[in-house]
Structure formats: C-alpha cells, structure tokens
Amino acid sequence: MLFVDDLLGGKAMSLERHWTTRSRQLGRYVVPCCVILGTFAAAPVAAVKTGDHVPRVLILYPYDERLAATTAAGEAIRTRLLQATKARIDLFSEFLDLSRFPEAEHIGRMARYLSAKYADRRELAASAKVIVAGFSSFTAEEMDLPNDVVGAFSDFDIVKTAEMARGLQPEARHLFIIGGSSEFDRSWLARARADLAAFSKDYETTYLEDLTIEEFTKVAAEVPRDSIILALTILKDRDGRNFMPREAVKQIAETAGAPIYGPYLTYIDYGVVGGSVVTFESLGKTVADLALEAVAGKPISNLESPQTYVADARQLERWGLSEKNLPAGAIQMFKEPTFWEQYWLAAVFALAVITFQGTVIAGLLIERRRRQAAETESRHRLLEVVHLNQSATAGALSASIAHELNQPLGAIRSNAEAAAVILRSERPDLELIGQILVDIQDDDQRAHDVISRIRGLLKKRSEIDWQEFDLNEVATSAIRILRGEAERRSVVVSSSHTSRELPVRADRVHVQQVILNLATNAMDAMLEVITTEKRLLLETRLTTESQVELSISDTGRGIPDERLASIFEPFYTTKPHGTGLGLSIARAIVETYGGKISAANRPGGGAVFRVVLPLARNG
C-alpha cells in the first residue's frame, strides 16, 4: 500500500473490508509479482520540492521477499521513485506471504495489523490513491476492484509462450503443462486449460498437476524428445512443501527430456528456453510512473505493461534450436558475443594498424624496387664511366704499352734471325737452337701478358665481376702496366707488400683501374720535379680493423691544404688538359665495394693516397 498523510483512515478501513471479502480472489489470481496500494498527498510536485508535503508510499508484496519477481519489481519501483523525487519521499514495504497463508482470516489479520501500524500516519485520507499490479485486466474485472483503484496490469499470456515453442519446435507432437498444488497454482492451471484449448488440439496434451517435486522431475525426464513442456508455477507440491517457482522449475529442467518454456522472466537462467514475458523491471517502472503522476496531482488510469519474447541462448544451443525460428524482436539472454561484437574496437584498431602497416610495407617495397632499379642503373652508368676511363688510361699509356710490346717482339725477331743463321751452317748447333726457341717462347709469353693486361683493361662489361683476389697480385700487375710509362718519365717505381695474402672481394679490373688512376696522377704531379727525385711507392698492409690498405705516394709538389676536401669531386682538376674525372671515378669504384679513399700530404713532400677495402675473410 502507498499511504500518505491519513494513511489508514476511512479509506484504509474500506480496503480492509475489501481485502477480507476478496481474499479468495487474491489467492486465486494474484501472480507472484507485487500489489501496490497507495495514498498520495493532494499537493502537486512543486510542494514536494519545497518540503511542504512529502509523499508517503507503502508497497504491499503479496508473497515473501525471496520471490525473484518481488525483488525485481520492488527495486524498480523504489529506484524510479527515489530518482524522480530526488529521494524526497517516504517508502514503506510489507510482505503478506499469501503463497503460504492464503486464508481469509490471515488477510483480515494483516489488514488490521497494518491499520494499527500506520494509524499515526494520517493527514489527507480523501486524496489517497490505490495502485495494484501483477495481474491482468481480465483478472481485475473478476475481482471487482473498487472504482478508485488503478492498475498496472500485465497479461501473462501462456498462448504466446506456446506459439513461441511451436516456432522453435515445429516437429513437436506432445504437449505437457506443469502446475503446482497451491490455490494460485490451481487457478493458473484452470486458466491455462481455457486459454490453450485451441492450441492443444494439435498435440497429444497432458497436464501434470498435483504431484510431488520428485514426481514432476521423473515424469519430465521421461517425456519424448518431440515434446513441448510449459511450466506455470509450483508454489506448493502435493506434499504441501513450499517452493520458489523458479527453483522448482530449475530442478525439473536439469533432467528434462525436452525443452521447457515459461511465462516469467525469472525462469530465464533456471533451465527454461524462454517465453512471452513481462519484465518485472518494466512492470515496476510502470507502477512508479503512475505513482508519480498521482503525486503531481494528475489524473491516472489503468496501464498495460509491455510484453516481449525472451530466450536463453544457452538453452537454444543445448536443445539444438535455431535462433532463426525465434519470433521477431525476441531478446536473447546469455548469448556469447561474436568475436566482432566482443572485440570490435580492438579489431577495428588492429585492422587499421594492419592496413597502415600494409600500406607502409607496400610503399617500402615499391621504394625498394625503385631503389634497386636506380642502383642497377647507377652501376651500369658507373661501368660505362669506368670503361671510358679505362680507354682513356689505355690511350695515355699507349706509348709505354707499345714500348713494352716492342721489347719481346724485338727479342723474338733477333732470336729467330740467329736461329736461321745457325741452321744454314754446315754443322748446326741443335742445343743452341733449343735455347733460342726457349727464349722465343718466353718473349712470346711476355708479349701475350702485355696484350692480356691491355685486353682486360679495355674490356667492357655489363655487370660487376665479383671475385676474391689478393690485393698484392693486383698491385704487382698494375706496376707491370705502368713500368714502360714510368721509365719514359724517369720515375722510379717501387713496392712494399706484406708477406701474407690480402684477400678482398671486388672486381679485379676495377681495383686495378683505381691503382692506375692514382699512379698516373702521381706521375703527372712529378713532371716538374728533378729526375733523380721522381719516386713512386705502392704499399699494401693489413690494418688493425681487419681491413686492407693500399697507399700510393709520390715525391711531387703535393696538394694545397684548402683543396684536399674537394679533389675527389667530379670535374675538379689542376691539370691544364685534365677532365677532373679520374679521382671521382676512383672514389666511386672504391665506395661501390664498401671501401674508402683519402688523400693527404707527406711530411717530407709529395702526396699520399690511401685506399681501404674490407678484408674478404679472416685467418
């Protein structure tokens, strides 16, 4: 009951008489939810805010506080009222326990008790409002409620629950309806027989009633698989034992041989598949809204609480029922969210990161391909430039090369003429002729070596010929090529090599070309030097950083300090007829093979160029 001011005055007495005379109807019709009777102050809501009148609300629950419906609906009412009035409201609660004490005498005693308990809460009895909830409007008509009682009705339609079951189990051939032995349970069964009369014609129908909880459980376990089980309420079994309906349903559902359905939301999570239900939260909100309207002084009238279809996703999976067959708009509880539903934010972020990374990787691959193409093109251009430089070097050394070739060719001719003279004598000295032929072969090999070196110097290649070779051997080969030009210029060429092998990995001809470029520049730098002081020294050594170093030093005029940083730049030259490409090409070649080239002035005069290359292997 909700009573404000004259809480149990004349109106309370009339309510007492009404409850006493209608006890049987209450026992038969009130569902295990709640009944709310209220008396409100006639003052508007504004008065509530100023503190002139504080509404008092008494909530009467038909059963005890253990009933889940009682808790759900009652808490919804209390929460709504406290929020709407900012807690400026007096709330009272009473539990009638009608499931165990449905007798009229008990109801009369409770009415007298409550009248006495709230006797000192009376002020404006004439404005009292009574709101009832938890049963249908049809039941309210049968109860013949007073005209000033307003209802928040809820129609627990068992036919809609049965139709839901038929949609999920179109192959079902048996129908079982379960109900307990209390007066309320029997009234539910009677109503279900009438409501399901047409529906049950399509099935072999059995009503399971007036059984013990053990018998309910055993029969339900033995039903055929193609059965539909509708659970109403079991407030009391045949032995007179009292139950919370959902606990009784849970016990039966654990071993049931077919799916169980029920018209109450509280049955969800207790073994039932689902049903057409009125949520007790929505029922409580409807009641609270009616109460707030009454507090505000507005006229109120009966309202219907909305129904909805609810299913337990776990039970659908347990019985192999397709969610596609659920009624439109049905709510699935305990449904495991899909990966996307559960982790959509993380998935979106991950996809964004992957997309970004993919874009970056694609861009890097494109850039890598472009770089590789550019490097390939750069190598081709380098090879062309090196070849042109080789040709220029060969041209510059042509006089020396010709001189070097003339020596073995002249020797061959002289030996051939000597052999001819000996052969024309009366007694030719065959041993001497043999020695002459050996000399001819040696001179021929010398000429062949010169031609091979020049051929290698002039050979054009489209790719770098990677080889592993001894730097000492390449330096010696370069000295041989330079020997004729050095003699022509009166330059003394000497070398200093380590006793051990210095393996490097590069193109042999390219490294040789670097040595020739540096040596030719060194000889050019000594043009104005006195003949006796023209010295060119080639040295090789192993550095402490596991690298090999080749140095070429001269006794020329040296390099001006301000020009040391720019001598390797393209087109930089101090020669009147130079191109300025020799040193820049040498640097490009050395850096291609992971090396470094540098220049410095010697303390005693002249310049020294150092080429450092990585060692191909240790040991």
Side-chain angles (χ1 to χ4, degrees):
M1 286 185 181
L2 301 178
F3 288 100
V4 176
D5 305 308
D6 193 2
L7 190 61
L8 283 175
K11 184 175 289 290
M13 295 302 102
S14 64
L15 285 173
E16 176 185 341
R17 288 192 296 273
H18 174 76
W19 275 62
T20 302
T21 56
R22 296 298 182 184
S23 61
R24 293 298 176 184
Q25 284 89 336
L26 286 172
R28 290 169 52 198
Y29 296 117
V30 178
V31 299
C33 175
C34 64
V35 175
I36 300 178
L37 304 178
T39 309
F40 298 89
V45 175
V48 174
K49 294 181 179 179
T50 60
D52 295 338
H53 294 84
V54 177
R56 292 191 181 116
V57 176
L58 171 59
I59 306 175
L60 286 183
Y61 298 94
Y63 304 114
D64 65 53
E65 69 277 6
R66 297 177 301 151
L67 198 66
T70 298
T71 302
E75 285 304 310
I77 296 170
R78 295 175 62 87
T79 301
R80 176 68 174 142
L81 291 176
L82 289 171
Q83 289 178 346
T85 62
K86 296 182 179 179
R88 292 187 56 81
I89 189 169
D90 285 342
L91 295 176
F92 305 90
S93 300
E94 300 290 347
F95 299 87
L96 302 180
D97 202 9
L98 296 182
S99 63
R100 292 183 293 183
F101 302 96
E103 298 81 11
E105 292 79 6
H106 169 70
I107 297 176
R109 286 193 300 268
M110 288 299 297
R112 290 189 294 274
Y113 162 72
L114 295 175
S115 296
K117 181 176 181 180
Y118 295 98
D120 59 343
R121 303 294 197 272
R122 58 182 70 194
E123 288 180 17
L124 300 175
S127 63
K129 297 292 182 181
V130 179
I131 302 172
V132 297
F135 48 88
S136 68
S137 56
F138 175 77
T139 301
E141 292 178 2
E142 288 188 335
M143 292 172 64
D144 191 20
L145 293 175
N147 294 331
D148 58 350
V149 175
V150 178
F153 299 123
S154 54
D155 188 4
F156 293 88
D157 193 340
I158 193 63
V159 177
K160 289 185 178 180
T161 298
E163 292 291 350
M164 174 182 173
R166 176 153 55 190
L168 289 171
Q169 295 178 251
E171 78 289 348
R173 295 294 176 264
H174 299 83
L175 175 64
F176 294 87
I177 299 94
I178 295 176
S181 300
S182 73
E183 189 171 351
F184 177 77
D185 296 334
R186 296 179 190 280
S187 68
W188 230 134
L189 283 166
R191 179 180 170 187
R193 288 179 188 274
D195 292 344
L196 293 172
F199 180 88
S200 61
K201 291 180 180 179
D202 299 330
Y203 300 90
E204 183 178 330
T205 305
T206 303
Y207 281 85
L208 302 176
E209 54 185 319
D210 202 27
L211 300 176
T212 65
I213 189 65
E214 292 78 14
E215 291 170 340
F216 278 125
T217 302
K218 180 180 179 182
V219 174
E222 296 173 352
V223 301
R225 177 62 181 84
D226 60 342
S227 299
I228 293 173
I229 302 176
L230 301 179
L232 302 179
T233 58
I234 302 177
L235 288 166
K236 184 181 295 186
D237 71 354
R238 188 181 65 190
D239 289 344
R241 289 177 291 179
N242 294 299
F243 295 93
M244 289 294 102
R246 66 177 182 178
E247 296 292 344
V249 170
K250 180 180 180 181
Q251 184 174 338
I252 296 170
E254 287 177 350
T255 57
I260 299 180
Y261 303 83
Y264 300 112
L265 183 63
T266 53
Y267 287 0
I268 301 296
D269 196 29
Y270 280 76
V272 302
V273 174
S276 176
V277 304
V278 174
T279 65
F280 295 110
E281 289 79 4
S282 65
L283 177 62
K285 184 177 181 300
T286 301
V287 172
D289 288 340
L290 284 173
L292 291 170
E293 291 290 312
V295 170
K298 298 179 182 179
I300 58 175
S301 59
N302 298 334
L303 290 178
E304 286 284 344
S305 297
Q307 280 194 332
T308 186
Y309 289 102
V310 177
D312 188 330
R314 299 167 302 180
Q315 296 300 322
L316 291 176
E317 183 178 359
R318 171 190 174 186
W319 297 106
L321 305 177
S322 175
E323 64 180 60
K324 296 180 181 179
N325 294 329
L326 286 171
I331 299 172
Q332 287 194 64
M333 299 180 66
F334 307 106
K335 182 178 181 181
E336 288 292 332
T338 63
F339 176 83
W340 179 255
E341 291 171 341
Q342 191 170 5
Y343 302 106
W344 71 269
L345 184 60
V348 169
F349 179 76
L351 287 174
V353 171
I354 292 172
T355 301
F356 175 75
Q357 289 179 336
T359 303
V360 172
I361 291 172
L364 291 176
L365 289 175
I366 294 173
E367 185 62 27
R368 180 172 178 268
R369 181 171 296 180
R370 289 177 178 175
R371 186 180 67 182
Q372 289 177 338
E375 289 176 349
T376 301
E377 183 67 18
S378 176
R379 284 198 300 271
H380 289 162
R381 295 291 178 262
L382 176 63
L383 291 172
E384 291 179 1
V385 171
V386 171
H387 180 258
L388 291 175
N389 185 249
Q390 290 170 339
S391 300
T393 301
L397 299 176
S398 59
S400 299
I401 294 171
H403 175 72
E404 190 172 359
L405 277 175
N406 283 333
Q407 288 182 347
L409 291 177
I412 289 172
R413 181 168 183 172
S414 298
N415 284 322
E417 291 175 348
V421 171
I422 294 173
L423 287 174
R424 284 195 297 269
S425 64
E426 292 181 359
R427 299 180 65 180
D429 188 343
L430 297 181
E431 184 178 351
L432 180 58
I433 291 175
Q435 293 177 353
I436 291 173
L437 290 177
V438 171
D439 291 340
I440 290 174
Q441 291 175 349
D442 291 341
D443 291 331
D444 177 73
Q445 184 62 44
R446 286 175 55 197
H448 177 268
D449 291 342
V450 172
I451 294 173
S452 295
R453 289 196 294 270
I454 299 305
R455 176 182 291 177
L457 190 63
L458 294 176
K459 183 179 180 181
K460 184 176 182 180
R461 47 176 57 83
S462 59
E463 291 293 338
I464 294 176
D465 183 12
W466 290 90
Q467 314 166 45
E468 184 179 313
F469 55 87
D470 184 4
L471 184 62
N472 293 326
E473 293 181 359
V474 175
T476 301
S477 175
I479 290 174
R480 290 172 183 166
I481 295 176
L482 290 169
R483 183 181 300 149
E485 183 67 15
E487 290 177 358
R488 188 178 69 83
R489 299 192 186 192
S490 301
V491 176
V492 177
V493 180
S494 59
S495 62
S496 176
H497 303 315
T498 60
S499 58
R500 59 159 292 171
E501 181 182 352
L502 299 177
V504 295
R505 181 170 174 76
D507 190 310
R508 184 188 188 101
V509 174
H510 288 176
V511 174
Q512 178 181 271
Q513 180 62 31
V514 170
I515 298 174
L516 293 177
N517 280 3
L518 297 178
T520 301
N521 283 345
M523 288 190 291
D524 290 342
M526 293 185 288
L527 288 177
E528 300 176 0
V529 177
I530 300 174
T531 301
T532 57
E533 297 181 357
K534 294 182 178 181
R535 294 188 300 276
L536 181 66
L537 175 63
L538 277 75
E539 293 181 286
T540 58
R541 69 184 183 92
L542 181 67
T543 68
T544 56
E545 293 82 12
S546 297
Q547 295 175 321
V548 296
E549 179 184 279
L550 166 70
S551 63
I552 301 176
S553 56
D554 60 65
T555 57
R557 57 182 181 272
I559 305 170
D561 292 338
E562 67 274 10
R563 297 182 179 180
L564 280 173
S566 57
I567 60 174
F568 292 104
E569 297 297 327
F571 307 110
Y572 177 84
T573 182
T574 58
K575 302 176 186 178
H577 304 291
T579 62
L581 293 175
L583 290 179
S584 65
I585 292 174
R587 182 178 69 174
I589 292 174
V590 171
E591 290 179 351
T592 297
Y593 301 116
K596 297 179 180 178
I597 186 170
S598 61
N601 288 313
R602 299 174 61 207
V608 56
F609 287 81
R610 291 185 176 86
V611 175
V612 178
L613 292 171
L615 191 66
R617 51 187 166 84
N618 295 323

